[in-house]
Amino acid sequence: MATTTSTAARRAAPSRRSTARRPGGERLQPAFLWMVLPAFVLFFVFHTVPVLQGIFYSFTDSPGYGEWNWVGLSNYVALLSDARIGSAYLFTLQFAFVTTILVNALALGLAVGLNGKIKFKNTLRGVYFIPNILAILVVGYVFNYLFSSSIPAIARALGAEGRLSTSILADPQLAWIGIVILAVWQATAFNIIIYLAGLQTVPGELYEAASLDGAGRWRQFRSITFPLIAGFFTINMVLSLKSFLQVFDHIVAMTNGGPGTATESVGLVIYRGGFQGGEYGYQIANAVIFMIVIIVFAIVQLRVLQRNEVSPS
């Protein structure tokens, strides 16, 4: 018995020498470190270093090439009094909030419907996912043609007068609506998939017990479905708002920022000024501020929405 024990101890000795300990005392296999290390190096070189380099150039007057001078906080101070920047932030925030709410409301409703006992359920799930695999620019130009030519032509043929007989994309007050419609149509598909995944985690026994207690469909949704998929709702809301705050392709395809500057987003202003207008250092400072705004919104969203989450267990 003593011989067997000592043999097992000798076999285990090399394994102990080849492992490291986590702060909690649990052993960590070196293989895990070798798998993580390449990803960490790639992330640091191609993500962290460019971010740090960008923050450095935000304190310069660099046009993106050639010589530059250190200007300290001048770019950040100038941004606070730039009316075009303020207008871009206001448009971007309004667009992001409206689109996030519409996308999640529509996606949640469709997901609940597609999770029910209906015919052609799997086929419909595939059909609703198609917009997510289409390129935004391509779809955007199709929507642009619809709003600029098809809908006004149909309205005039029907004798309708007013704003429907002209392109809403040419109206500074209505152009954003066309962009919202495109964004909602394209983004709803991805959110449906996440909500469907969440609905699969809700135990069916809860619905059976609720039915026996006389709870209707709406009551079951409010008291069972939504609380139990609140975690998925949080994920969708955070990802949607982050994505729509960075809106770019939709605007390029639909209005290119116009009419005038009515639909210029922060991302579009940064691109135009930084890469086409010789304002590289100035727009990098704008990008740094915008990055902080997005992080703050994400943290606030997570803190607020996670308070209402419950566990299925």
Side-chain angles (χ1 to χ4, degrees):
M1 183 65 181
T3 305
T4 304
T5 303
S6 60
T7 303
R10 286 195 299 273
R11 289 177 178 175
S15 176
R16 286 197 296 270
R17 286 195 300 270
S18 61
T19 58
R21 281 184 180 276
R22 293 177 179 174
E26 186 179 352
R27 297 186 183 283
L28 184 65
Q29 296 295 331
F32 294 149
L33 294 176
W34 286 112
M35 285 190 288
V36 171
L37 187 61
F40 173 78
V41 171
L42 290 174
F43 181 84
F44 183 80
V45 172
F46 294 106
H47 182 273
T48 306
V49 171
V51 169
L52 296 176
Q53 187 181 32
I55 294 174
F56 172 80
Y57 276 108
S58 71
F59 297 102
T60 72
D61 62 354
S62 172
Y65 53 87
E67 298 181 353
W68 50 267
N69 298 304
W70 182 265
V71 297
L73 295 175
S74 299
N75 288 332
Y76 292 93
V77 174
L79 284 169
L80 299 177
S81 59
D82 192 329
R84 185 180 180 185
I85 298 296
S87 175
Y89 271 85
L90 182 60
F91 169 79
T92 303
L93 292 175
Q94 291 176 337
F95 169 82
F97 282 125
V98 171
T99 311
T100 297
I101 293 172
L102 291 177
V103 165
N104 281 279
L106 184 60
L108 182 57
L110 289 172
V112 171
L114 292 172
N115 194 53
K117 297 177 180 178
I118 59 174
K119 292 183 178 179
F120 311 112
K121 181 164 62 177
N122 292 331
T123 302
L124 290 174
R125 288 180 176 180
V127 170
Y128 278 106
F129 190 67
I130 289 177
N132 188 62
I133 61 176
L134 300 177
I136 296 176
L137 278 175
V138 175
V139 178
Y141 288 124
V142 174
F143 272 70
N144 188 331
Y145 180 80
L146 290 175
F147 285 119
S148 300
S149 302
S150 300
I151 293 178
I154 294 173
R156 287 193 294 270
L158 295 175
E161 299 292 338
R163 291 181 174 177
L164 281 179
S165 60
T166 60
S167 173
I168 62 171
L169 301 181
D171 189 330
Q173 303 299 324
L174 300 177
W176 68 278
I177 296 177
I179 303 171
V180 168
I181 293 173
L182 168 63
V184 171
W185 183 85
Q186 198 275 335
T188 300
F190 179 75
N191 289 34
I192 288 176
I193 296 300
I194 295 181
Y195 282 128
L196 281 174
L199 291 170
Q200 309 307 310
T201 66
V202 181
E205 296 82 3
L206 295 178
Y207 293 114
E208 295 176 4
S211 298
L212 293 176
D213 290 339
R217 294 290 186 184
W218 175 242
R219 177 70 176 179
Q220 292 179 18
F221 175 80
R222 286 194 299 117
S223 302
I224 300 175
T225 305
F226 190 74
L228 292 182
I229 65 169
F232 297 87
F233 178 75
T234 300
I235 293 173
N236 268 340
M237 290 292 288
V238 173
L239 292 180
S240 297
L241 185 62
K242 183 190 76 69
S243 174
F244 293 132
L245 283 173
Q246 302 176 67
V247 61
F248 182 85
D249 293 353
H250 308 72
I251 296 175
V252 171
M254 294 289 284
T255 64
N256 202 26
T261 58
T263 58
E264 272 193 338
S265 68
V266 178
L268 188 62
V269 170
I270 292 173
Y271 172 76
R272 283 178 170 171
F275 294 99
Q276 298 176 346
E279 301 175 338
Y280 184 75
Y282 182 68
Q283 293 300 339
I284 283 293
N286 188 15
V288 171
I289 293 177
F290 193 48
M291 178 182 68
I292 295 173
V293 169
I294 293 175
I295 292 174
V296 169
F297 273 115
I299 293 174
V300 172
Q301 268 189 304
L302 285 172
R303 291 290 179 85
V304 173
L305 295 177
Q306 283 181 337
R307 293 175 184 170
N308 300 319
E309 294 181 10
V310 297
S311 172
S313 60

